[in-house]
Amino acid sequence: MTTSDEYNSLRQELIQHQERRLTILGLAVTATAALIAAGLNENFRSAFVPLSSLMVLFSARVLITEAQYGIKRISSYIRVVLEDEGENPALKWETGSYKSRERTRDERKHYSGDISALASFDNVLFGISLVAITMAIYISWPTSLKCLENTSLEFWLTVGFTPFWLLLWFYYRHRRVNELINGDFELREAEFWRLFKQQPLKTDEDLPIK
């Protein structure tokens, strides 16, 4: 396989990862809308129905985040190994894209660093999660607040689950999402591929005899 063939193959894989994010988001939004509508229906009226959509949304978030990791890993390899960080005159797309992102990040660093597409996906999913929680509270809202006897267990479970959900959401953002948004993961990947280039691949003679 030539460098050009490898480049085209990886670019195609990168595009597939990008398209997969939109597909996952679309499916998650559709499923959530259906669950909220079912929860409001008199035949299925329950706060637990829209709350169950939170698992759908979080699963979509994980899948989109992992797809973004794949995108950054592939783009870093292309930029460092195949494009030689701008030194290859025939291949420069990922290098130019990276420099453009860095310039934009520098321009926005005083008020916003969220230039990654992942930030938009994450914010959309978070907003839909809040809608689902709001609808669950609305469905379980007691008919009267004059006495605790009128407050259903469903309502208290919904209210109690909300801070746990928010904690889980921001914990995952801190552990996984932020390093993609602020570019830290991309820097680590680039450094790995630079070291990879400096170390020659082992030949059959270099392999240990079993």
Side-chain angles (χ1 to χ4, degrees), residues 66-136:
E66 293 306 312
Q68 189 71 12
Y69 271 102
I71 290 171
K72 293 302 181 183
R73 185 169 289 113
I74 293 171
S75 63
S76 295
Y77 174 83
I78 292 174
R79 176 169 60 87
V80 176
V81 178
L82 300 184
E83 296 183 351
D84 201 16
E85 300 188 83
E87 296 301 319
N88 186 339
L91 305 172
K92 291 190 176 184
W93 169 255
E94 288 299 333
T95 301
S97 177
Y98 175 77
K99 290 182 178 179
S100 176
R101 291 195 303 273
E102 286 300 293
R103 183 175 65 250
T104 303
R105 185 177 286 113
D106 289 340
E107 292 173 351
R108 297 183 180 184
K109 64 182 179 181
H110 296 298
Y111 59 94
S112 174
D114 294 352
I115 67 169
S116 170
L118 182 61
S120 300
F121 284 104
D122 207 58
N123 291 336
V124 168
L125 290 171
F126 181 63
I128 298 173
S129 299
L130 293 181
V131 171
I133 290 173
T134 301
M135 295 309 299

Side-chain angles (χ1 to χ4, degrees), residues 187-198:
L187 291 174
R188 290 205 310 272
E189 279 295 298
E191 185 60 28
F192 169 82
W193 291 120
R194 291 187 191 104
L195 293 174
F196 175 82
K197 284 176 60 179
Q198 295 172 6

